[in-house]
Each structure stands twice: as structure tokens, then as C-alpha cells.
């Protein structure tokens, strides 16, 4: 019975280590993605680093600017709490800013276009009345075999398969 308990403990430790390695790789990839962009509607990563804690666990550190305007989610909640509606120009300005951020990701050619995959009001910070797209933790490169075409005038992106 004691032997079975040890096997279970070792299996659990192995699974924990795999999960940790996977999380570390995702964080490293996210860190690399931030370095690709220099646009006012895409969050800049000011600095990055890695450290190891006393237990030997590695951590990825990322430093971002402080945006005191909160998230777009916060802004929507504040408007709702006051019973206010967004004005047409304000909505269009915010929408255009988010679209321009997405356009940056989709038009990236070096090393490849990216799909954010988690755009929501909580992943858009507000800075001086402009939206800033954050959180690239779910971002992925556009799969091989797909072509990404963006139209800046509408900030629309289409993905289609290459003909073989």
C-alpha cells in the first residue's frame, strides 16, 4: 500500500511539473508577442525578465505601463451605474481603437500574423480616452495554410486557405 501511495505522489508531481512547464512556455510566448508591436492601441511591454524562486521554480516577469483609466469593462459599468449611454462618437472612437489594435496583430508579418483569441471588455484598458488591447496569453499564430488579409479602412480581417 505504501508503494502505491509513492507511485501516486510521483505521478502527481510529474503532472504538476508538466503543467508548470506548459505555463512557463505560454508566459514566455506571451512575452515574445508583446515585443512585436509598437502601436498606441496595443499595450507595450516595458521590460521582461526571468527569475527562479527558492524552490527552483522559474517565473516570467513582465512590466507594463500603469493605466489609471481602468478597463473598458469598468467604463461600461460606470456608465450603467449612472444610467448613462455612450455617445455615438465615443463608441466609434473606442471601436476604431480596438479594431486598429486587432489590425496590428493580424498584419504582423514577422514572424507571423497573430490571433488574439480573447478580446473582451476586461482585456481592453482605457488610456487618455483611447483603448489599449492587453493580455496576449491566449494569442496564437495564424495557422499555416491560412492567409490573413486586413482592410485598414474597415479594420476587417479575413482568413482563407491557400489554394494547393
Amino acid at each position: 500500500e505504501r508503494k502505491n501511495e509513492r507511485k501516486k505522489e510521483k505521478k502527481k508531481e510529474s503532472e504538476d511539473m508538466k503543467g508548470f512547464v506548459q505555463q512557463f512556455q505560454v508566459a514566455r510566448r506571451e512575452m515574445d508577442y508583446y515585443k512585436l508591436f509598437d502601436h498606441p492601441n496595443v499595450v507595450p511591454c516595458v521590460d521582461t525578465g526571468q527569475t527562479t524562486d527558492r524552490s527552483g521554480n522559474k517565473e516570467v516577469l513582465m512590466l507594463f505601463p500603469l493605466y489609471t483609466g481602468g478597463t473598458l469593462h469598468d467604463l461600461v459599468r460606470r456608465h450603467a451605474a449612472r444610467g448613462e449611454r455612450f455617445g455615438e462618437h465615443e463608441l466609434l472612437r473606442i471601436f476604431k481603437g480596438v479594431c486598429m489594435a486587432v489590425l496590428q496583430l493580424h498584419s504582423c508579418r514577422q514572424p507571423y500574423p497573430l490571433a488574439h483569441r480573447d478580446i473582451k471588455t476586461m482585456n481592453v484598458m482605457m488610456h487618455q480616452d483611447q483603448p489599449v488591447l492587453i493580455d496576449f496569453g491566449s494569442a496564437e499564430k495564424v495557422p499555416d495554410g491560412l492567409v490573413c488579409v486586413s482592410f485598414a479602412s474597415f479594420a476587417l480581417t479575413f482568413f482563407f486557405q491557400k489554394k494547393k
Side-chain angles (χ1 to χ4, degrees), residues 68-163:
T68 57
T71 65
L72 180 55
H73 186 79
D74 298 332
L75 182 62
V76 168
R77 290 178 61 108
R78 284 193 303 267
H79 271 69
R82 293 189 302 250
E84 296 176 358
R85 294 178 181 245
F86 283 91
E88 183 178 330
H89 291 289
E90 185 178 16
L91 279 176
L92 289 173
R93 180 181 36 76
I94 293 170
F95 181 68
K96 179 184 176 189
V98 173
C99 288
M100 295 310 290
V102 171
L103 180 63
Q104 290 299 305
L105 273 66
H106 292 182
S107 356
C108 182
R109 296 290 178 241
Q110 293 297 322
Y112 37 69
L114 293 176
H116 187 279
R117 297 182 44 204
D118 194 24
I119 295 175
K120 57 189 177 188
T121 57
M122 289 183 284
N123 284 341
V124 176
M125 298 298 296
M126 297 304 296
H127 177 63
Q128 298 175 348
D129 290 332
Q130 288 297 317
V132 180
L133 187 61
I134 65 167
D135 191 358
F136 288 18
S138 297
E140 292 283 341
K141 76 175 206 164
V142 173
D144 291 335
L146 293 183
V147 176
C148 178
V149 179
S150 295
F151 299 93
S153 59
F154 297 104
L156 295 176
T157 304
F158 298 95
F159 296 95
F160 56 92
Q161 287 188 319
K162 293 180 182 176
K163 287 186 178 181

